[in-house]
Amino acid sequence: MWIAKNITKRNQAKSNCINAAISSANNSEITAVGRDGVSHLTIAAPSGISFSPKIDENAVVLKTESGDVCVGTIMDRVNPNDCPLPGELFLSNKNGTATIKLMADGKIEICGDVTINGKSV
């Protein structure tokens, strides 16, 4: 037991990842407040995906040599139907009124007003 506790403590001390609350977000700057104070963040996301976290959302912040990076946010799921199954992707807007779900079986489920090439569908 003593060995396990000491290994855990040592590994926690080496962690360069923190949880911080987003305090402001706009096109040019994201700031978050965590245990180390205020961080000015850049966003890391998979290629082709762009996002800006909501104010007061909990961000996962990775401390790097070149600055702090938001690698995502802690998901807060109110509706269990929003949880994707393995192999699925779920996207939603700020208040959840528009959603896109890419399903594992190849189907696409879209909820909200849809516009394609400037025309409502």
Side-chain angles (χ1 to χ4, degrees), residues 2-114:
W2 177 85
I3 293 172
K5 284 182 182 179
N6 281 310
I7 289 172
T8 302
K9 283 181 188 176
R10 254 185 263 144
N11 287 336
Q12 286 175 346
K14 292 179 183 177
S15 174
N16 61 346
C17 196
I18 64 168
N19 183 346
I22 300 297
S23 57
S24 69
N26 61 41
N27 291 340
S28 60
E29 186 175 283
I30 309 293
T31 56
V33 178
R35 68 171 191 237
D36 296 337
V38 176
S39 298
H40 300 281
L41 308 174
T42 55
I43 300 291
S47 181
I49 296 177
S50 178
F51 82 99
S52 183
K54 296 185 284 187
I55 305 299
D56 292 331
E57 210 169 23
N58 286 318
V60 178
V61 178
L62 181 62
K63 301 282 201 179
T64 70
E65 291 178 5
S66 59
D68 297 345
V69 177
C70 173
V71 294
T73 56
I74 308 295
M75 293 186 296
D76 180 25
R77 297 207 191 276
V78 177
N79 184 348
N81 294 328
D82 292 348
C83 295
L85 297 173
E88 295 185 340
L89 177 66
F90 181 81
L91 302 171
S92 69
N93 68 335
K94 181 178 178 178
N95 57 11
T97 57
T99 62
I100 299 173
K101 189 172 186 179
L102 304 180
M103 302 170 100
D105 63 4
K107 293 178 183 166
I108 301 171
E109 183 179 284
I110 301 173
C111 296
D113 296 330
V114 178

